[in-house]
Amino acid sequence: MPTRLFESRRSKRPRAFPGLLLLLTLALSACATMLPERGKVVMRDVNFPLRDFRLPSGLRVVVEEDRRSPVVALVALVGSGSSSDPAGKEGLAHVVEHLAFRARHGGSASVWTRLERMGAGRFNAATSLDHTLYQTLVPREALTEMLQLEAQRLAAPLAGVTEEVFAVEREVVRNELRQSNETGYFGQIFHWVQEASFPAGHPYARPVIGSHESLSRLSLADAQRFVRKHYQPENVTLVITGDVDLAAMDAMLKERLPEAWHGSGLPLAVSPRLAQPAPEPPLAPAAPKLVSHEAAVPSPELYLSWVLPRGFDEESALQAFMRSSLESELGRAMMTDGDIAGFSTGVVSGTRASLLIVRVVLITGAHPEKSAEAMLDQVFGVWDSTGGAGDALAQTFAYQRLHRSAVMGMALDAEDLLERALSRAELTHFTLDARSYGRTQAALASIGSSKMTEYAYHWLQRDRARMILVKPGANGVAALSSIAGLPPDEAEVEGPKGPLPAALSSPAQITSVRLANGMEVLLAPRPGMPLVSVGVALGGGEAIGKRGVAELAEWVSFPRSDFQGGPGDYGLRSSRVLYRDHLRYRLQGAAGNVGNILAILSERLSSMVTEYAVLRFYHENVLPWRKALDSYPEEKAQRALQRALYGAHPYGQVASSEEMGQVTQSDVEDWLAQVHRPANAVVVISGEFEPQQVMPLVHHYLGGWGGRGGAVESPSFPPLGAPSARPELLITPRPGATQGHLQLACRLPEVTPEAGARYALMAAVLRRHLWHEVREQMGATYGFHTQVSMARGGAAHLLLEGVVDAPQLGATMTAVRSALLTYARDGVPAAELESARSGLLAEQAVGLTTSGAWVNALLNARVLGWDVAAVTGRPALLQAVSEAELRKEFAGCAERLVVGVIGDEGQARAAAQAAFP
C-alpha cells in the first residue's frame, strides 16, 4: 500500500516533523480466527511529535517525544571521521573518540565515570569514515545532567587529558587493533577490505582505527589540533528521543549548553554536506590474484566487497534492501560449495561512496577462488530475471517476500530508541533535513523490483567485486614498550550522585494461562508501537539426550509443512537459538499479524523433522568445519573451562565434532519428539494487542497443538567443588601471541531470584573495578566483560574475561586476585557497591524498552522456574542486597576459582605463578 506521511506540529517555530513513519496500514479483522491473507502486513500508522532546533551557533538539535518508556536516548554526531585524519596519522579521529571519555571538566571525574554515576544504562561511541557517534541511553531523570555532560564533552573533548592519559589510551586502541573491535571485524580486516576496494591515496582506503605505525606517530598535540578544527557547533548534530517534554526543551537547551554552543541571534546557515550531483564512487583496480593476509581467525575467511554510491540520502534505502536481501539468500551457496560454512553481510556508508561487504567463513580455504565464484553466482542469482514466465512469477513472489522483510526489519529496528536516534542523527546531519528519516522509510516501502534489479545489475557486477582472503595466523601488531600507567584516581571511588532510575516501564498487566495441552502462555501487552514479539522456550537443550544430538538437531531440523505460510510472507523476523538447558524460537512482526505469527509458530513446533539428505549435507559440508574449530585455542579453552566448572555433569560437557558425527537420524528424531511437545513449552507474547482479542487466537492455534508427555525434567544441581586456596589453572597454548585471552570463573551456589541479584552485583563490581584499574590506568586491554550464566536446576557460574597485552598479563592477573581477596576479606566499599547497584538499575530500566526485550526477560525467568515477579521486582531485589551478603559470595568464589589463559604458554605460566603463588 502507498505510504502516508503525517506531520505533527506543536508550534510554528521551531518546526515539528513526523517522529516515526511506519509503513503499511490495514485494519485488524474483527473475527479473531480469520487471519490476514498471505502477503498482507497489517500495521497502523504511528507518529511521534518532533521538534527541530537550528541554533544560532550552527548546532542542530532534533528532539522526538516517545513516552512508551521512562527512558531517553541521546546521540551526538560529529561530522568528521577517519577520512579527516591527517596523512600519516591515521586513527586520530578514533583516538579522539576514546579520549573524549577520559575528559574532565571543572575538576570533575572523567566523562566515563560521570556516565556511570548518573545511571546511563547504555553508552558507547564509534568512528566511521565521515563521522563519529556518541550514543547514550539514560533514565528520564538523568536527561538534564546528561545534556550538560554531552555539551561539555563536545565543547572540550580533551579537557584534563594529560600526556600520560594519552599514552595509556593509545595503548588501549592498540589492543583494540589486535582483536574484534567497533568496526565489527577482527583486528585489521576492515582496513584490508578498504585497501582492496578504494584507490590508493583515497581517504576511504586508509584505516579507520589506524595502524601500529600511524598510532605510534600520534601525539596529544595532534589530537588537540584535530579537536579545534572539527569539534565545532556547526559540525555537530544532536538527537534526543524518548520521554521528554517538547515544550521544555527551549529552556533546557539554553540553560545546559555552553553559551558559545547555543549562540544568539539568527540561526547560522550551514553549507550543504552532500555534494550535488552525487559523485561517482571510486573503485580500486582489480588485483591480478586473490590477496591474502593473516589474522587470529579460527578458520579462513573470504571477504567480498562492492563499492556503491554514497549513503545518507534516500538512495540508501536501496542499499539497506540489498543487504537485507543478500543476508537471507546467500546461504544457498553452501549447497554448491562444501567449503563454505557461513556468511554475513554489512554496509558501511560514506558521503563519497558506500561499501557492501560479504564475509564468508570457510572450512579449510582449500579453493577460495571457487568459493568466491559460488558466492558471486548466488549474488547474481538474487536479482536474475532472465528466466521464462514461471521463473518470472517466482522471482516476483521472491522479491515481494524480500521487500516485506526489509520494510518490517526497519520498523522493528525503530522500536529501539537508540537505534532510531542513531539513524535519525546520521540522516539529519548529512541531508540537513530532519524529515529524511521518514523519507528514507517511505523510499524503502516504495522500491519496485525493476528499480532494485537495475541498481543491483549496475553496482554488483562481477568485475566490480574485490576480494581478500584472511588465513589463521599472527596479527602482526606489535606491542608498545611497557608504560608506567597512571596512579589510582581518588575521584573514581565516589558513589552515584543523581536519583536512582524510576520503576520499570512494565506491561500494563502480565497474564498467565495454562492451556489444555499443558502449554503455559504469558501475555504482556505494551501499547505504543504496532509490533508484536512472540517467543517460546522448550526445556532440554544441549543437556539432554545423546551428546551432540541437540547441536546437530539445531542444524538439520526443519518444519515438515508450511500451510500457514513462512516468515517472509508477512515480513517476520525469526530466530532459533540453542542453549545448554533449552531451545528458544522467536518471531516478530506487525501487531495486526499476531494471528499469523501464532499459526506459523504452532505449525513449526508441531512438525519439526529431519531427513537423511539434510544429515548427509551436514556430514559432508558442515562437520569438516566443526572439526577444524575443535582444534582452535578458543574452542579448546571453552571445553576445558566447562569441565573445570561442572565436571561430569551435562553442563560440563561440550559436544565435539567426533561426537556429533556419531549422531544418527533416529537420535535426532527422538530428541525432537522429546523436546517439541506442548507441556514442555512456555510462550510469551508481548507488544501492542488487546488480550481479549488475542486469547481466542492462542487457544485456536497454540491450544490445537497435540502431543503427549510432560515437561523435560530439569538436570540435577551440579555439586560445588571442594574449597581451595589456589585456583585451578588452565593454559591453552597460542605460541607467539602478543595478547593473552584471560578467563576467570567460579561456580556459584544454587541460584534463586534473590541469589541472582547478588551474583549480578558481583559481576558489576568486578567489571567496573577492573575496567578502571586495568584499562584506564594500565591501558592493558580494550575492555573486560563479566557475565553470570544461570541454567535450569539451579546451576550458575561467574565469568570474567578480556584480552590483555601480553607484557601486562601478570600485572592484570595480580589486580584480579587482589580485588577478589579484598572483597572476600573486607567486603565491597560502599561507594563501589552503590555505583554498581545504580548501574544495574539503569541497565534494567533502559534494557526493557522493546517487546522483544520483555519476551526474552520473561522467558529467562520461566526457564529457571521463577515467576514473573523475578523480572518486574528485580529492582527491589537489587536494592535489598547487602554488603555482608556480597562479601560471603566473594569469599566462596575466591575458594572455587578457575583461571584460564589462551596465549604464549611460557608467558602465561609465568604470569599465573607470579599472580597466584
Side-chain angles (χ1 to χ4, degrees):
M1 296 186 65
T3 302
R4 295 183 296 171
L5 179 64
F6 292 94
E7 289 196 2
S8 171
R9 297 185 180 273
R10 287 293 182 92
S11 62
K12 291 186 178 180
R13 287 179 62 87
R15 293 187 298 168
F17 297 117
L20 172 67
L21 176 65
L22 289 179
L23 306 162
L24 300 169
T25 61
L26 284 172
L28 179 60
S29 171
C31 180
T33 57
M34 290 181 59
L35 304 184
E37 64 186 57
R38 190 173 296 201
K40 294 291 185 181
V41 177
V42 183
M43 184 186 295
R44 68 173 177 84
D45 280 325
V46 137
N47 177 45
F48 294 120
L50 184 142
R51 294 186 67 181
D52 179 20
F53 298 85
R54 294 179 172 91
L55 299 183
S57 65
L59 175 66
R60 186 74 170 273
V61 183
V62 179
V63 187
E64 181 187 64
E65 181 182 312
D66 177 357
R67 299 203 164 188
R68 292 174 300 130
S69 301
V71 174
V72 178
L74 192 148
V75 171
L77 185 151
V78 180
S80 300
S82 64
S83 62
S84 298
D85 289 339
K89 297 189 177 181
E90 290 78 14
L92 181 57
H94 177 248
V95 170
V96 168
E97 170 223 309
H98 275 243
L99 292 171
F101 285 96
R102 309 295 298 268
R104 297 171 178 273
H105 303 95
S108 68
S110 68
V111 166
W112 187 283
T113 301
R114 291 169 64 193
L115 286 168
E116 290 180 335
R117 289 182 192 162
M118 74 174 56
R122 286 166 58 189
F123 57 92
N124 207 339
T127 302
S128 190
L129 300 174
D130 295 307
H131 64 291
T132 302
L133 282 166
Y134 298 93
Q135 49 188 292
T136 313
L137 199 59
V138 297
R140 65 186 172 198
E141 296 85 356
L143 172 59
T144 301
E145 184 182 359
M146 180 62 221
L147 180 59
Q148 179 171 328
L149 182 153
E150 193 62 83
Q152 291 174 336
R153 172 163 60 177
L154 292 168
L158 302 181
V161 172
T162 63
E163 293 284 359
E164 293 78 13
V165 169
F166 178 87
V168 167
E169 200 62 32
R170 183 175 59 179
E171 184 65 0
V172 169
V173 173
R174 198 182 304 276
N175 277 291
E176 181 183 357
L177 184 60
R178 299 191 196 103
Q179 64 186 85
S180 298
N181 51 56
E182 64 192 48
T183 67
Y185 300 100
F186 194 97
Q188 296 174 296
I189 288 177
F190 181 59
H191 176 216
W192 295 330
V193 174
Q194 290 177 273
E195 283 185 317
S197 304
F198 296 105
H202 191 277
Y204 289 178
R206 301 187 297 157
V208 172
I209 195 172
S211 65
H212 173 68
E213 294 75 19
S214 69
L215 291 173
S216 299
R217 286 192 288 266
L218 298 183
S219 68
L220 179 57
D222 293 325
Q224 291 166 339
R225 282 190 291 270
F226 187 92
V227 164
R228 286 194 295 270
K229 181 176 181 180
H230 298 285
Y231 279 65
Q232 298 297 324
E234 64 272 18
N235 195 35
V236 174
T237 297
L238 197 61
V239 171
I240 303 170
T241 300
D243 192 357
V244 299
D245 180 359
L246 291 183
M249 288 308 302
D250 297 85
M252 186 181 296
L253 291 173
K254 192 167 185 62
E255 177 186 358
R256 294 295 171 173
L257 294 176
E259 184 177 350
W261 276 66
H262 189 282
S264 58
L266 296 175
L268 179 69
V270 178
S271 301
R273 294 182 172 123
L274 293 178
Q276 297 296 335
E280 181 71 14
L283 180 63
K289 61 179 181 179
L290 193 63
V291 179
S292 296
H293 300 276
E294 286 189 359
V297 293
S299 66
E301 295 184 358
L302 181 67
Y303 288 80
L304 288 73
S305 63
W306 288 264
V307 174
L308 305 177
R310 72 178 181 202
F312 308 123
D313 55 19
E314 292 178 23
E315 195 170 70
S316 62
L318 292 165
Q319 298 172 10
F321 187 13
M322 179 183 292
R323 191 211 65 79
S324 175
S325 301
L326 293 177
E327 187 74 33
S328 65
E329 296 295 310
L330 290 184
R332 293 190 177 94
M334 297 172 65
M335 304 297 292
T336 61
D337 184 350
D339 201 39
I340 296 177
F343 70 95
S344 60
T345 64
V347 172
V348 180
S349 297
T351 59
R352 301 169 175 91
S354 296
L355 195 59
L356 171 67
I357 303 174
V358 177
R359 174 189 183 185
V360 187
V361 178
L362 303 177
I363 298 172
T364 65
H367 48 256
E369 292 85 359
K370 177 184 173 183
S371 300
E373 285 300 317
M375 296 299 293
L376 290 172
D377 288 343
Q378 192 57 46
V379 169
F380 181 79
V382 174
W383 313 108
D384 184 15
S385 58
T386 58
D391 291 337
L393 183 61
Q395 188 80 8
T396 298
F397 287 145
Y399 175 83
Q400 290 172 348
R401 287 194 297 271
L402 293 172
H403 189 230
R404 284 189 291 268
S405 297
V407 169
M408 183 52 57
M410 180 175 280
L412 290 167
D413 289 341
E415 188 182 14
D416 186 293
L417 279 178
L418 197 50
E419 288 299 317
R420 199 162 84 230
L422 287 165
S423 296
R424 188 180 292 284
E426 290 180 332
L427 291 166
T428 300
H429 183 84
F430 290 108
T431 65
L432 300 177
D433 185 354
R435 294 170 296 186
S436 57
Y437 180 57
R439 287 173 173 169
T440 300
Q441 292 182 310
L444 179 60
S446 63
I447 293 174
S449 60
S450 60
K451 184 174 183 179
M452 191 67 244
T453 299
E454 179 183 356
Y455 187 86
Y457 276 157
H458 185 84
W459 297 110
L460 297 189
Q461 293 293 334
R462 289 174 184 268
D463 61 359
R464 290 185 58 83
R466 299 294 180 263
M467 295 171 284
I468 66 168
L469 178 66
V470 181
K471 300 177 181 179
N475 57 34
V477 182
L480 278 179
S481 57
S482 182
I483 56 178
L486 300 175
D489 183 350
E490 296 300 327
E492 308 291 0
V493 299
E494 296 180 15
K497 297 298 184 183
L500 291 175
L504 295 179
S505 175
S506 303
Q509 182 179 3
I510 300 176
T511 304
S512 176
V513 60
R514 180 75 66 174
L515 304 183
N517 59 8
M519 180 188 298
E520 181 185 11
V521 180
L522 277 67
L523 303 179
R526 297 187 73 249
M529 290 283 280
L531 302 169
V532 165
S533 293
V534 180
V536 57
L538 300 164
E542 299 170 4
I544 67 165
K546 186 176 181 179
R547 192 176 300 169
V549 64
E551 293 88 339
L552 184 61
E554 183 186 19
W555 276 83
V556 303
S557 60
F558 57 91
R560 180 190 300 111
S561 62
D562 62 352
F563 296 116
Q564 299 295 341
D569 293 319
Y570 306 98
L572 307 180
R573 182 178 287 172
S574 65
S575 65
R576 177 174 61 174
V577 182
L578 178 69
Y579 297 90
R580 288 184 301 164
D581 58 347
H582 73 283
L583 176 65
R584 186 174 301 195
Y585 293 84
R586 189 168 76 168
L587 288 170
Q588 297 175 282
N593 294 107
V594 62
N596 302 106
I597 294 174
L598 295 176
I600 291 172
L601 183 62
S602 178
E603 184 174 30
R604 287 190 161 198
L605 292 172
S606 62
S607 69
M608 295 300 292
V609 295
T610 190
E611 290 180 353
Y612 173 73
V614 180
L615 279 166
R616 185 178 65 182
F617 174 81
Y618 178 87
H619 281 280
E620 293 177 354
N621 295 276
V622 181
L623 197 57
W625 173 66
R626 291 299 300 259
K627 289 181 179 178
L629 285 186
D630 281 353
S631 63
Y632 189 59
E634 263 71 15
E635 289 290 320
K636 291 181 177 179
Q638 186 59 35
R639 295 173 195 279
L641 183 65
Q642 289 296 119
R643 285 195 302 270
L645 291 171
Y646 293 99
H649 190 275
Y651 290 159
Q653 311 303 309
V654 179
S656 67
S657 57
E658 182 179 355
E659 290 167 328
M660 293 177 68
Q662 296 172 0
V663 174
T664 67
Q665 181 176 345
S666 177
D667 294 329
V668 173
E669 291 170 344
D670 290 345
W671 186 88
L672 291 172
Q674 183 181 8
V675 171
H676 290 77
R677 53 195 189 196
N680 191 42
V682 177
V683 176
V684 177
I685 307 169
S686 182
E688 185 173 86
F689 61 85
E690 293 294 335
Q692 62 269 27
Q693 289 183 327
V694 170
M695 192 61 75
L697 296 169
V698 168
H699 283 282
H700 182 78
Y701 290 106
L702 299 181
W705 177 20
R708 297 183 178 181
V712 173
E713 187 176 342
S714 296
S716 61
F717 177 74
L720 295 174
S724 174
R726 290 177 60 85
E728 182 174 356
L729 181 61
L730 308 171
I731 295 180
T732 305
R734 177 176 278 153
T738 61
Q739 291 180 307
H741 185 161
L742 183 61
Q743 295 177 307
L744 292 101
C746 63
R747 279 288 311 282
L748 299 168
E750 188 166 356
V751 70
T752 63
E754 293 76 14
R758 296 195 298 272
Y759 302 159
L761 271 169
M762 289 175 66
V765 166
L766 266 180
R767 181 182 68 247
R768 286 166 175 251
H769 178 90
L770 293 173
W771 180 278
H772 289 300
E773 184 170 348
V774 181
R775 172 177 165 144
E776 291 197 331
Q777 294 176 28
M778 295 167 52
T781 180
Y782 180 43
F784 276 106
H785 305 280
T786 54
Q787 66 177 40
V788 176
S789 178
M790 300 179 290
R792 299 173 76 217
H797 70 267
L798 171 68
L799 173 64
L800 178 146
E801 64 179 333
V803 180
V804 179
D805 195 16
Q808 302 203 64
L809 185 58
T812 299
M813 296 172 74
T814 299
V816 175
R817 175 178 178 269
S818 175
L820 278 175
L821 293 180
T822 300
Y823 294 147
R825 182 185 64 247
D826 304 329
V828 180
E832 289 189 46
L833 174 57
E834 294 313 312
S835 178
R837 195 192 319 265
S838 175
L840 287 178
L841 289 169
E843 288 175 17
Q844 175 109 344
V846 305
L848 292 175
T849 58
T850 66
S851 57
W854 274 99
V855 166
N856 285 335
L858 291 171
L859 284 179
N860 289 341
R862 296 304 297 133
V863 163
L864 295 171
W866 302 347
D867 60 26
V868 170
V871 179
T872 58
R874 190 164 185 265
L877 294 174
L878 289 170
Q879 293 279 31
V881 176
S882 69
E883 183 276 331
E885 290 173 319
L886 274 191
R887 184 190 314 171
K888 181 180 178 181
E889 299 293 359
F890 272 115
C893 181
E895 294 176 340
R896 296 185 292 271
L897 192 61
V898 178
V899 178
V901 184
I902 308 169
D904 183 86
E905 185 171 8
Q907 282 185 318
R909 198 169 297 281
Q913 289 174 349
F916 299 97

